[in-house]
């Protein structure tokens, strides 16, 4: 029995924490009337300590994790200059699809309005809505003092500074081995710290859920269901409308034929919830479609690092969910900032379970949203993460096929089923 408990995955523990927190919260809401036990001891102290403490641990990770991962991520793609248009096209498509993903999420959430009715209270639009113009927002991305931005958690300047450092490290190469090693090891340290902090996620989720539903009761269920619906609709649109449209637009290939061959990869990504673990199967499946390994061996690992369309959709929906729950009116400038921040947050943040929740702190912070709402959606994030991962790897594959087609490195006879993969690799155009 004990061995079975030890083998329960972190994601399942998070689900257990969510369910138990929900049940305990409802019991307290409807059956416990003693204010000393319910309000003072449990809600205001035990649950507040556990939930807020975990949120603060997550916030602690954001600045160093994002900074190190962005520097390392950008510095690691120096080979782009060697393969010319391949690298440019790959990164361009990845970033464009991520921007489309978060835009779609914002539009869907503005119609479904998942946060309306939750009534978190206490914060009005006047407290957080900014009249800063787009020009000011762009200028504010440039740090006056990068160390001050790091200390204050001003994420947009931190991102820009991190990208610049990564570009310089990629350019100088061997001249900066020691600095490169410092950032690489720093990134490793932050990844490990993230894994350690996430081990406390089930406890934090339990406390956050119990505190929320002890106060909200069943009124909190509908917004949560609407939030899940927003994310799933956004993921479906991205996977089955945006990606196939791009495939047809740039290659004229049949998307149905692609999905027939790729469905097994999507199921594996869904079950594993990690893009990195799906890389070998993704590469093999693309080879069976006629894609050159010289292309896919670059684009697929890069996509697992910077192509986070599913996470961007979650972040867009979460931003609208929180804004509506707190009664905050996000203006056009704030929404553009969300799109930019979500795209930039996708660089270098793959490989850690539920890292999207950590970078979500950064997205919230970029427009002044309270991070408390993250605790409400954390419990169901593992389920949504499975769908997000399937979408992410699908985007990686679609991008790879497009880039391969543009560089004449895909055997169309293999893709269309006219020839077997083993017959043709010597005939595929090399670059």
């Amino acid at each position: 029995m004990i061995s079975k408990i030890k083998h329960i995955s972190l994601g399942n523990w998070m689900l257990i924490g969510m369910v138990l927190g929900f049940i305990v919260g409802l019991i307290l809401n409807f059956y416990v009337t003693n204010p000393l036990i319910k309000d003072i001891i449990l809600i205001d102290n035990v649950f507040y300590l556990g939930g807020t403490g975990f949120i603060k641990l997550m916030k602690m990770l954001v600045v160093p994790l994002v900074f190190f991962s962005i520097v390392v991520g950008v510095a690691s793609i120096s080979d782009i200059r060697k393969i010319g248009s391949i690298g440019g096209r790959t990164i361009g498509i990845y970033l464009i699809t991520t921007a489309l993903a978060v835009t779609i999420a914002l539009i869907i959430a503005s119609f479904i309005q998942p946060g309306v009715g939750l009534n978190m209270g206490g914060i009005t639009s006047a407290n957080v809505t900014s009249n800063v113009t787009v020009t000011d927002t762009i200028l504010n991305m440039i740090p006056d003092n990068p160390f001050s931005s790091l200390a204050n958690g001003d994420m947009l300047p931190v991102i820009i500074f991190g990208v610049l450092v990564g570009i310089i490290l990629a350019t100088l190469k061997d001249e900066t081995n020691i600095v490169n090693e410092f950032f690489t090891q720093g990134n490793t340290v932050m990844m490990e710290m993230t894994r350690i902090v996430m081990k406390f996620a089930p406890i934090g989720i339990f406390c956050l859920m119990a505190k929320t539903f002890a106060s909200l009761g069943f009124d909190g269920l509908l917004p949560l269901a609407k939030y899940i619906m927003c994310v799933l609709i956004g993921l479906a649109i991205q996977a089955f409308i945006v990606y196939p449209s791009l495939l047809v637009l740039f290659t004229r290939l049949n998307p149905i034929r692609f999905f027939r061959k790729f469905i097994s990869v999507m199921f594996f990504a869904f079950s594993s919830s990690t893009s990195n673990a799906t890389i070998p199967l993704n590469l093999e499946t693309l080879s069976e479609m006629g894609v050159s390994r010289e292309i896919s061996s670059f684009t697929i690992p890069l996509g697992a690092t910077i192509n986070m369309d599913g996470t961007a959709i979650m972040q867009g929906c979460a931003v609208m969910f929180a804004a509506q729950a707190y009664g905050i009116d996000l203006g056009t400038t704030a929404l553009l900032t969300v799109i930019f921040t979500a795209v930039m947050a996708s660089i270098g943040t793959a490989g850690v379970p539920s890292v999207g929740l950590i970078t979500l702190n950064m997205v919230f912070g970029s427009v002044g949203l309270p991070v408390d709402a993250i605790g409400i959606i954390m419990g169901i994030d593992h389920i949504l993460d499975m769908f997000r991962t399937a979408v992410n790897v699908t985007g990686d594959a679609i991008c790879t096929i497009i880039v391969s087609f543009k560089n004449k490195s895909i055997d169309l006879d293999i893709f269309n089923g006219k020839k077997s993969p083993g017959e043709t690799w010597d005939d595929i155009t090399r670059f």
Side-chain angles (χ1 to χ4, degrees):
M1 181 65 180
I2 295 177
S3 62
K4 290 183 179 179
I5 293 177
K6 289 182 178 179
H7 284 87
I8 297 177
S9 67
L10 176 62
N12 287 332
W13 275 119
M14 292 168 67
L15 287 175
I16 292 171
M18 179 196 71
V19 173
L20 290 178
F22 171 70
I23 294 173
V24 170
L26 290 182
I27 292 174
L28 289 174
N29 193 302
F30 293 106
Y31 297 106
V32 178
T33 57
N34 188 322
L36 175 63
I37 296 176
K38 176 183 175 181
D39 298 321
I40 298 177
I41 295 178
L42 293 177
I43 295 179
D44 295 337
N45 284 279
V46 176
F47 297 153
Y48 177 76
L49 175 63
T52 305
F54 180 68
I55 291 293
K56 288 178 72 67
L57 284 172
M58 290 181 62
K59 291 173 67 177
M60 174 189 73
L61 297 171
V62 173
V63 174
L65 174 65
V66 171
F67 179 65
F68 278 111
S69 63
I70 283 182
V71 172
V72 173
V74 174
S76 68
I77 59 177
S78 58
D79 284 344
I80 292 173
R81 293 175 298 167
K82 297 180 180 179
I83 58 177
S85 63
I86 295 174
R89 283 172 175 162
T90 301
I91 293 179
I93 293 174
Y94 281 154
L95 297 184
I96 288 171
T97 56
T98 303
L100 284 173
V102 67
T103 303
I104 288 170
L106 292 173
I107 293 173
I108 292 172
S110 67
F111 281 102
I112 297 179
Q113 298 187 327
V116 172
L118 192 57
N119 190 24
M120 297 298 289
I123 299 178
T124 63
S125 58
N127 294 113
V128 295
T129 301
S130 173
N131 294 321
V132 177
T133 64
V134 175
T135 301
D136 291 333
T137 300
I138 295 174
L139 290 174
N140 289 337
M141 294 177 188
I142 305 172
D144 296 319
N145 182 340
F147 296 102
S148 175
S149 298
L150 287 164
N152 295 328
D154 297 330
M155 292 312 304
L156 292 181
V158 168
I159 290 172
I160 296 299
F161 183 64
V163 169
L164 291 175
V165 172
I167 291 173
I168 291 171
L169 290 177
T171 303
L172 296 179
K173 296 181 182 176
D174 296 337
E175 301 175 44
T176 56
N177 282 336
I178 295 177
V179 180
N180 239 320
E181 189 67 19
F182 166 76
F183 281 106
T184 300
Q185 292 184 1
N187 187 51
T188 302
V189 169
M190 291 312 304
M191 292 292 188
E192 182 61 27
M193 188 179 296
T194 301
R195 293 187 181 95
I196 293 173
V197 169
M198 289 306 296
K199 289 181 179 179
F200 295 94
I203 299 173
I205 289 171
F206 169 80
C207 293
L208 290 164
M209 292 292 289
K211 181 177 183 294
T212 298
F213 287 99
S215 305
L216 296 177
F218 283 109
D219 293 338
L221 281 179
L222 181 59
L224 197 60
K226 289 165 68 177
Y227 166 77
I228 295 173
M229 182 170 64
C230 281
V231 175
L232 293 181
I233 291 175
L235 293 174
I237 291 175
Q238 188 75 6
F240 302 115
I241 296 180
V242 173
Y243 291 153
S245 298
L246 292 175
L247 186 65
V248 172
L249 178 64
F250 289 107
T251 69
R252 299 293 190 271
L253 295 175
N254 188 343
I256 296 178
R257 186 177 296 276
F258 164 79
F259 280 112
R260 284 177 179 170
K261 296 181 179 181
F262 198 74
I263 190 68
S264 61
V265 182
M266 297 178 70
F267 278 125
F268 180 81
F270 178 85
S271 61
S272 66
S273 298
T274 167
S275 298
N276 286 345
T278 315
I279 288 175
L281 181 60
N282 205 344
L283 289 171
E284 183 63 29
T285 303
L286 287 171
S287 293
E288 294 173 358
M289 293 185 194
V291 175
S292 168
R293 284 273 188 174
E294 291 184 348
I295 298 288
S296 61
S297 62
F298 169 74
T299 58
I300 295 301
L302 180 63
T305 301
I306 71 171
N307 186 39
M308 306 285 284
D309 295 352
T311 300
I313 288 171
M314 177 273 288
Q315 291 174 340
C317 292
V319 163
M320 296 300 289
F321 173 81
Q324 292 160 5
Y326 282 93
I328 298 169
D329 183 18
L330 296 176
T332 302
T333 300
L335 294 179
L336 291 175
T337 301
V338 168
I339 294 172
F340 175 81
T341 310
V343 171
M344 296 306 296
S346 69
I347 299 175
T349 55
V352 178
S354 299
V355 74
L357 289 172
I358 297 173
T359 56
L360 184 58
N361 280 273
M362 180 182 73
V363 178
F364 273 36
S366 69
V367 289
L369 287 174
V371 299
D372 299 47
I374 297 177
I376 302 175
I377 63 177
M378 283 186 67
I380 45 89
D381 185 72
H382 178 61
I383 296 176
L384 295 178
D385 188 37
M386 299 167 76
F387 289 96
R388 294 201 306 264
T389 306
V391 171
N392 288 341
V393 299
T394 304
D396 297 346
I398 291 289
C399 173
T400 298
I401 291 175
I402 292 173
V403 173
S404 298
F405 182 86
K406 292 298 182 181
N407 287 275
K408 297 181 173 58
S409 294
I410 180 172
D411 192 313
L412 299 180
D413 287 338
I414 293 180
F415 184 90
N416 293 317
K418 297 178 180 178
K419 195 157 43 176
S420 123
E423 300 176 31
T424 61
W425 278 115
D426 290 337
D427 300 326
I428 296 178
T429 302
R430 304 290 182 177
F431 59 91

